[in-house]
Amino acid sequence: MKEPNKQIKSGLGGNPSGLRKVNDILNSEISNNGLSSKGLIAVNASFFTSYNFDSYLYDYDKAWRNTQIGPVSFYNGKVLRDFTKYQTKISRGFDLLGVTKDNQLKKYTIKGYSSLNDAQKVIQKMKDDGIQNSFSFQPVLIDKGVVKVGNSEKASRSAICQIDNNNFILYSSRSLITLGTEAQALANSGCVTAFNLDGGGSRNGYYKKGNSGLQSLTVTSREVADVIYFREQ
């Protein structure tokens, strides 16, 4: 990709909350952003997509019980959601990823039980770094070329990784594998940074060549909160 910061995009299940199937989200993105003649490849993305997670995390604030995309979300360069404007405390930490203006895949962490001021500093740092779209994830698979995970339960997996400034991989495994196996496959492909996305029953993949319609890599019936996709320039 020539401009990863602009070509790695997010599609949302709702605005700002809601769930939809991946192909429905992508068809909206194609229609709304003039991508009918452009190629793309996409997988489901963020972990924090369930009612249960948000109601657990924000039980003391009913306004947050029906959110789907997590407590902080950047979409097309705008802060779609900033929980520090509504919350008075942080109970559980979370990680976000995004591509900086100098095309680096980067992790941002808001720690559990940290102050709102500390959380606001992280969000400001994301703005300063030029983050266009953010996604929640867990865990880090590879950092600075070093695999950071080992054995775990087996599941179908999705991930994003960076090889260099212009080369990235969206990974989707139909096979049931551990996080360690996933990370090693990405390391063998030359990835120096990799983050695990939502897998299991949420794993979905689509691609599109030029003027053709969406083609499925794998399809599940589960609705999701967002997708991450690479688009042709």
Side-chain angles (χ1 to χ4, degrees), residues 8-221:
I8 297 178
K9 306 287 287 181
S10 171
L12 301 178
N15 188 13
S17 61
L19 301 174
R20 283 190 294 165
K21 292 182 179 180
V22 169
N23 62 310
D24 291 332
I25 296 174
L26 289 173
N27 280 324
S28 292
E29 287 292 307
I30 291 168
S31 175
N32 295 336
N33 296 289
L35 301 178
S36 59
S37 64
K38 302 292 186 180
L40 63 82
I41 186 167
V43 298
N44 60 288
S46 294
F47 263 89
F48 302 161
T49 60
S50 71
Y51 172 88
N52 289 336
F53 177 87
D54 284 312
S55 62
Y56 164 77
L57 182 58
Y58 299 110
D59 188 57
Y60 42 82
D61 184 346
K62 294 180 180 179
W64 279 87
R65 289 194 177 189
N66 293 318
T67 67
Q68 308 295 349
I69 56 172
V72 175
S73 179
F74 283 64
Y75 178 68
N76 288 342
K78 298 180 180 179
V79 182
L80 187 65
R81 172 165 289 137
D82 176 356
F83 80 108
T84 64
K85 297 184 182 300
Y86 307 94
Q87 298 301 123
T88 58
K89 61 180 179 179
I90 304 169
S91 61
R92 180 176 173 178
F94 54 92
D95 292 320
L96 298 165
L97 69 86
V99 179
T100 66
K101 57 190 174 186
D102 58 351
N103 299 322
Q104 299 302 302
L105 185 63
K106 188 173 180 178
K107 177 188 78 168
Y108 299 87
T109 299
I110 294 180
K111 298 179 180 179
Y113 299 102
S114 60
S115 69
L116 289 181
N117 183 59
D118 287 341
Q120 288 165 348
K121 289 180 180 178
V122 175
I123 295 169
Q124 184 59 52
K125 176 61 175 172
M126 295 176 73
K127 293 179 182 178
D128 295 342
D129 285 348
I131 298 300
Q132 297 293 303
N133 298 278
S134 66
F135 307 88
S136 58
F137 76 96
Q138 57 178 331
V140 175
L141 299 173
I142 302 172
D143 182 34
K144 297 178 181 178
V146 178
V147 172
K148 307 299 288 186
V149 292
N151 292 328
S152 65
E153 73 282 359
K154 291 184 177 181
S156 54
R157 303 288 181 184
S158 297
I160 182 173
C161 78
Q162 180 171 16
I163 297 173
D164 56 37
N165 280 2
N166 301 103
N167 291 282
F168 296 73
I169 291 175
L170 280 181
Y171 178 86
S172 180
S173 170
R174 181 178 303 172
S175 302
L176 303 182
I177 59 174
T178 66
L179 290 170
T181 299
E182 176 187 32
Q184 194 58 56
L186 294 171
N188 292 344
S189 298
C191 296
V192 295
T193 303
F195 302 132
N196 184 62
L197 301 172
D198 197 10
S202 298
R203 188 183 63 88
N204 256 282
Y206 282 87
Y207 69 95
K208 175 181 169 309
K209 293 182 178 181
N211 290 309
S212 67
L214 287 172
Q215 302 292 317
S216 63
L217 296 170
T218 180
V219 181
T220 69
S221 59

